[in-house]
Amino acid sequence: MPAAPVYDTATPDPNLWQAVINLTPQDAATASDWFAESHPDVLSVSVFEELGNRNSLTLLFAGEPQRAAIDSTLQNALGHLPGYALAPLQHDDWVKRGLEDLKPVHAGRFHIHGSHDAPAAGGTHSLLIEAGEAFGTGQHPTTMGCLMALDDLLKQGITGPVFDLGCGTGILSIAYARATGRPVIGGDIDPPSVEFANKAARANKVGPLMRAVIATGFDHPSIRARAPYGLVLANVLAGPLINLAPSVRHNTRLGSSVVLSGLLRHQSRAVEAAYRGQGFVIGTRYPLGDWMTLLLHR
């Protein structure tokens, strides 16, 4: 797994806070499920391997969280209250340092690189993703799984419209637009991510095709206006994916496809059950390490 972020004296972002909890691997897995499924203020949940058979559970919040709410979730999940560090997330220095060390990522015919790396040779769709304040550089298995599923769908043929739910840096939207030359809309609850995604689209010469908006799920006039969708890409978390199942069905049509990611392998059964209940069938599973991406069809 990737190394945990390193803090320094950079200016903190007042809108993003991070909690880091040192736990046994079993407790980290249990607590991650609880936060992903029952804590509405958590933007992302990550588990990092540490020395001595320990894991760091890292939680990202949109704004300063209440310690009492974190304490309550930990107590309910583990039966005890471990110590943890809670602080504003350092603005973007660690992201830039990390991206400088990243190697290009290949997923199917997609090649993700920074400006310090050359684009891929012909026959591959190269995506330029630079350092910034948004999350999603293509390194995480959930993003790679989504790109692999998108690549498989492109071979079969995709009928739009296409919606990228929780678009982050816009990688999936940009990948679709670059590969097809067709429009796509993305939505995210985090304003810096939306700004970053639109800038990244322009940098990848798909600005006229891709638009990102601030939205929770499908709750935006521009998103609702394009429904029903032929493809929905949703790389978020298991809990929100389960809650969104009825909305995904309502905003897709018969014959549509849905790519779901952001879930751990042991969470996939619950997510699959929620979508089967809405009339979706499982197409392909993409297990990468501890993570799972699902391709569903309606």
Side-chain angles (χ1 to χ4, degrees):
M1 289 188 178
V6 177
Y7 287 101
D8 61 11
T9 57
T11 302
D13 184 338
N15 297 316
L16 295 176
W17 282 67
Q18 182 174 255
V20 179
I21 312 163
N22 188 261
L23 299 167
T24 65
Q26 182 177 355
D27 281 354
T30 300
S32 68
D33 287 348
W34 275 77
F35 277 103
E37 297 173 12
S38 64
H39 202 297
D41 297 328
V42 173
L43 291 179
S44 69
V45 181
S46 302
V47 178
F48 301 94
E49 295 178 355
E50 304 288 357
L51 296 176
N53 195 34
R54 302 290 290 182
N55 282 178
S56 287
L57 174 62
T58 303
L59 310 170
L60 184 67
F61 298 89
E64 183 177 2
Q66 296 294 319
R67 277 189 174 270
I70 299 175
D71 292 350
S72 176
T73 302
L74 287 170
Q75 186 69 47
N76 289 332
L78 305 177
H80 66 276
L81 183 59
Y84 59 89
L86 177 65
L89 185 68
Q90 302 305 310
H91 200 37
D92 67 348
D93 283 5
W94 69 268
V95 178
K96 292 180 179 178
R97 285 197 303 270
L99 284 179
E100 288 169 357
D101 295 332
L102 293 181
K103 300 302 180 183
V105 173
H106 299 273
R109 289 171 291 171
F110 296 107
H111 171 90
I112 304 167
H113 66 98
S115 58
H116 51 283
D117 292 304
T124 300
H125 302 294
S126 289
L127 312 178
L128 173 64
I129 303 296
E130 291 286 25
E133 301 168 16
F135 292 86
T137 62
Q139 295 285 327
H140 199 276
T142 58
T143 308
M144 294 183 68
C146 287
L147 289 171
M148 292 166 64
L150 178 58
D151 188 44
D152 287 344
L153 283 170
L154 288 170
K155 296 171 186 175
Q156 303 167 19
I158 300 174
T159 302
V162 175
F163 174 43
D164 183 3
L165 192 161
C167 63
T169 56
I171 285 180
L172 303 181
S173 297
I174 294 167
Y176 174 80
R178 286 290 298 269
T180 65
R182 297 172 186 162
V184 56
I185 188 167
D188 202 286
I189 63 173
D190 181 45
S193 293
V194 170
E195 181 181 1
F196 186 102
N198 286 318
K199 288 181 180 178
R202 293 191 292 270
N204 282 275
K205 304 185 187 306
V206 292
L209 297 173
M210 184 265 187
R211 179 191 176 203
V213 297
I214 301 170
T216 300
F218 294 85
D219 190 16
H220 189 282
S222 296
I223 295 171
R224 291 193 298 268
R226 288 167 171 78
Y229 288 94
L231 172 62
V232 172
L233 304 160
N235 184 8
V236 286
L237 293 169
L241 287 176
I242 291 172
N243 294 334
L244 282 165
S247 294
V248 173
R249 182 186 184 280
H250 179 74
N251 287 280
T252 54
R253 60 171 183 267
L254 289 175
S256 62
S257 298
V258 177
V259 176
L260 306 177
S261 197
L263 57 146
L264 295 162
R265 283 202 196 195
H266 67 272
Q267 298 171 324
S268 62
R269 286 188 179 181
V271 174
E272 289 180 16
Y275 282 80
R276 283 197 181 101
Q278 296 296 325
F280 291 90
V281 296
I282 309 302
T284 308
R285 298 178 179 89
Y286 301 85
L288 293 173
D290 294 330
W291 300 89
M292 179 69 75
T293 297
L294 301 173
L295 172 57
L296 314 178
H297 303 289
R298 182 180 167 202

